[in-house]
């Protein structure tokens, strides 16, 4: 098989996954978008959290041109990327009991807010406890995860439950256990992860749904413009001024 054929095989797999979430998750995406629109309309705040590479999809909707200005990153030091040294520390922290509660207790979240939690496996203590504690505080929780992990692996949380078990709405990324779409006869391990792409697509589809839902209610969605187009900075400045009490990444 040539390199170009392998690249095409990966892209075909990616397209297949996107088609699946489009067709099979449409109702859940609509429900998630409506929940976010409800939160904005009711004066609530929006937060997104992901650990490790799952954080990439969370960061992708924060302070993003074309995105909702009210989406804030709920950061957990040491787990929101691979910049921590050693990078393996992030994986270890995901399994620490009690960390999620400490983070939420010192964060600006409050009852009526919505928290999106992104975790491919949904099996580690951190995302499970994050969802459980958030709901106990009165937040609505949207989970972006692969349901396959709950069917084929064991939870690492003491409750034996997964992220999907503690969400108001679940968006299933359809990613198979192991997150690798490709194999090659002379390569020992499978490769070609697709979870970041699918999770980001689910997030952006949800944000688009929320924007349209707000507009249909007669509410102008608080969207950001690119700072690289004329008038973008001025536009964003007005949005920041109007919604500053619900935007935490500028403080």
């Amino acid at each position: 098989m040539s390199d170009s054929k392998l690249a095409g095989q990966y892209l075909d797999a990616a397209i297949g996954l996107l088609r699946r979430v489009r067709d099979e998750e449409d109702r859940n995406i609509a429900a998630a978008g409506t929940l976010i629109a409800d939160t904005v309309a009711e004066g609530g705040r929006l937060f997104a959290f992901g650990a490790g590479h799952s954080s990439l999809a969370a960061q992708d909707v924060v302070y993003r041109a074309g995105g909702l200005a009210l989406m804030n990153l709920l950061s957990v030091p040491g787990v929101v990327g691979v910049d921590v040294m050693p990078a393996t520390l992030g994986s270890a922290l995901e399994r620490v009991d009690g960390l999620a509660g400490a983070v939420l207790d010192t964060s600006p979240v409050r009852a009526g807010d919505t928290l999106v939690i992104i975790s491919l496996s949904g099996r580690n203590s951190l995302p499970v406890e994050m969802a459980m504690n958030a709901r106990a505080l009165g937040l609505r929780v949207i989970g972006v995860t692969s349901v396959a992990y709950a069917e084929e692996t064991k939870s690492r949380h003491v409750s034996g439950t997964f992220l999907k078990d503690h969400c108001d709405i679940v968006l299933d990324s359809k990613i198979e256990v192991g997150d690798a779409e490709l194999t090659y006869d002379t390569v020992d391990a499978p490769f070609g992860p697709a979870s970041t792409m699918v999770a980001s697509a689910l997030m952006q589809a949800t944000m688009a749904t929320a924007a349209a839902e707000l507009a249909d209610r007669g509410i102008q969605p608080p969207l950001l413009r690119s700072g690289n187009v004329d008038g973008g900075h001025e536009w964003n400045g007005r949005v920041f001024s109007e919604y500053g009490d619900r935007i935490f990444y500028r403080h």
Side-chain angles (χ1 to χ4, degrees):
M1 180 184 292
S2 69
D3 293 344
S4 61
K5 287 185 178 179
L6 199 63
Q9 185 179 332
Y10 176 82
L11 292 172
D12 285 343
I15 291 167
L17 285 165
L18 291 175
R19 283 176 171 160
R20 281 194 66 192
V21 297
R22 179 196 64 191
D23 297 339
E24 299 174 20
E25 295 300 302
D26 56 331
R27 291 185 179 181
N28 292 329
I29 292 170
T34 296
L35 178 53
I36 288 175
D38 289 342
T39 305
V40 174
E42 294 164 4
R45 291 88 61 81
L46 304 173
F47 297 87
F49 166 77
H53 287 94
S54 291
S55 180
L56 297 174
Q59 295 179 55
D60 192 44
V61 294
V62 177
Y63 186 49
R64 181 62 189 262
L68 290 173
L70 305 191
M71 185 60 75
N72 301 278
L73 184 68
L74 184 63
S75 180
V76 179
V79 305
V80 294
V82 294
D83 57 337
V84 61
M85 292 297 291
T88 51
L89 175 62
S91 297
L93 289 174
E94 284 189 70
R95 304 183 188 186
V96 174
D97 295 332
L99 180 57
V103 168
L104 286 171
D105 288 344
T106 56
S107 75
V109 303
R110 65 187 184 191
D113 293 345
T114 292
L115 170 62
V116 184
I117 301 175
I118 306 167
S119 173
L120 173 59
S121 73
R123 68 187 298 219
N124 290 312
S125 292
L126 184 56
V128 174
E129 288 187 358
M130 188 74 75
M132 294 173 69
N133 290 9
R135 293 182 87 184
L137 291 171
L139 278 74
R140 281 79 63 93
V141 177
I142 298 169
V144 181
T145 188
S146 170
V147 173
Y149 278 82
E151 298 171 345
E152 301 176 33
T153 69
K154 292 183 178 180
S155 170
R156 290 178 173 144
H157 187 254
V158 64
S159 68
T161 61
F162 288 76
L163 169 61
K164 74 174 186 64
D165 300 315
H166 305 284
C167 298
D168 296 279
I169 300 165
V170 174
L171 302 179
D172 182 5
S173 65
K174 316 294 182 182
I175 300 294
E176 294 184 4
V177 174
D179 192 17
E181 296 298 319
L182 300 176
T183 57
Y184 197 62
D185 55 2
T186 56
V187 176
D188 292 339
F191 54 101
S195 60
T196 303
M197 172 205 63
V198 177
S200 289
L202 283 166
M203 291 296 290
Q204 295 296 350
T206 298
M207 297 301 109
T209 301
E213 179 75 21
L214 286 166
D216 289 345
R217 301 182 194 183
I219 301 171
Q220 192 61 224
L223 296 169
L224 294 174
R225 287 182 179 269
S226 171
N228 296 314
V229 300
D230 292 342
H233 287 298
E234 292 76 13
W235 172 282
N236 293 341
R238 291 191 294 271
V239 174
F240 291 149
S241 177
E242 183 174 355
Y243 292 95
D245 61 332
R246 292 193 263 174
I247 296 172
F248 299 97
Y249 50 80
R250 299 184 70 240
H251 297 170

